[in-house]
Amino acid sequence: MRAPGCGGCDTGVDHCHGTLVVHQDWSAECTEPDCVDLDRARHTFVVDCADVAGGCACAEERGQRRSA
């Protein structure tokens, strides 16, 4: 998706406008439904799944392992 005023779009640099969410097992998913390349370099925003509003199932698992 081309975003108005995006420097990457204007110059043709391969990038994604979504946020890459990285899980504890290092798997990742993107908030942009059409994203097919989950390379970190393509994403301006990269977050740990524990920081996502509402949490993440694997972040809950991480907490259970620490308390066990």
Side-chain angles (χ1 to χ4, degrees):
M1 176 176 151
R2 183 168 169 67
C6 172
C9 289
D10 292 343
T11 60
V13 172
D14 182 32
H15 67 288
C16 178
H17 295 124
T19 299
L20 191 67
V21 180
V22 181
H23 296 281
Q24 76 176 30
D25 64 359
W26 295 104
S27 64
E29 60 185 312
C30 182
T31 59
E32 183 66 37
D34 297 331
C35 181
V36 294
D37 186 348
L38 300 176
D39 188 325
R40 289 176 181 235
R42 295 184 70 244
H43 295 82
T44 301
F45 301 106
V46 180
V47 298
D48 185 281
C49 70
D51 296 327
V52 173
C56 178
C58 74
E60 291 173 15
E61 291 171 14
R62 182 183 310 155
Q64 290 173 354
R65 288 184 194 154
R66 286 184 182 161
S67 61

